[in-house]
Amino acid sequence: MTENSSDAALIAAAAGGSEIAFRELFRAYVKPVFWVAHGLLGDRGDAEDAAQETFATAWRKLDGFDLAGESALPWLATICRNVSANRIRMRRREREHTAGPVDERQPDTVDVEQQVIDQALADRITDEVERMSEDDRRIFALCVAEGYAYQAAADELGIAHGAVRNRLSRIRTRLRSVVREEA
């Protein structure tokens, strides 16, 4: 597989058992999936675990999966939101059943360099989103952050389904280039 392989081709190859194709999907989308999880969970460790679980779930669901658009990111983001929601529910149950106070001290070691790199990437993505038109920011918020389907976002915005799909594809391409630049 090459960097120019389409997501649909990678998914088809991975569904056929190609670990190389799935590895390529993982490399292409692990950072955006991590940031979706981090935005929902607010904790780096939980976000890393959720991202890993997202790809493990995606691997199991490849058989028979048909990619609706050009990018696998909406599918992976949906899986990630579900995984993150499960983690949030689990946290809530744990808090309800905890007998004593929770130890909220900082861990003994903090990887400051990684935090700076992660924050720099998040800042670049945020800057790029802020540079978008108001309509593009709204499409991004509805489809990526809130999980709306294309038609639901189109209905909310009063525009055509195809317009949402096409603009979201351009937004994803733009943000992927930002992620690649930072890597």
Side-chain angles (χ1 to χ4, degrees), residues 43 91 95 98 100-108 110:
D43 178 78
R91 277 187 197 165
R95 275 195 309 268
T98 302
V102 177
D103 182 8
E104 295 183 4
R105 293 177 294 163
Q106 289 291 323
D108 293 337
V110 176

Side-chain angles (χ1 to χ4, degrees), residues 68-138:
E70 294 178 12
S71 173
L73 185 57
W75 175 57
L76 293 168
T78 299
I79 293 171
C80 183
R81 281 191 296 276
N82 292 334
V83 166
S84 297
N86 289 341
R87 288 182 167 278
I88 290 168
R89 282 190 290 276
M90 185 175 66
R91 277 187 197 165
R92 190 176 306 127
R93 281 192 301 269
E94 287 174 355
R95 275 195 309 268
E96 290 170 358
H97 299 295
T98 302
V102 177
D103 182 8
E104 295 183 4
R105 293 177 294 163
Q106 289 291 323
D108 293 337
T109 60
V110 176
D111 187 350
V112 175
E113 180 182 8
Q114 189 61 48
Q115 286 180 346
V116 169
I117 292 168
D118 292 345
Q119 187 60 49
L121 177 59
D123 291 345
R124 268 296 274 126
I125 291 171
T126 300
D127 290 345
E128 199 65 33
V129 170
E130 288 174 0
R131 284 189 201 110
M132 294 177 191
S133 70
E134 180 62 35
D135 290 339
D136 284 351
R137 282 195 307 268
R138 188 71 180 129

Side-chain angles (χ1 to χ4, degrees), residues 160-180:
H161 171 273
V164 170
R165 188 183 67 239
N166 292 339
R167 290 173 83 170
L168 192 57
S169 176
R170 285 193 306 271
I171 291 167
R172 286 188 191 113
T173 299
R174 184 174 172 178
L175 293 177
R176 268 195 302 266
S177 70
V178 168
V179 170
R180 286 186 183 124

Side-chain angles (χ1 to χ4, degrees), residues 11-12 14-17 57-66 75:
I11 287 173
T57 301
W59 175 258
R60 288 190 306 272
K61 293 183 175 200
L62 282 171
D63 193 32
F65 176 71
D66 187 28
W75 175 57

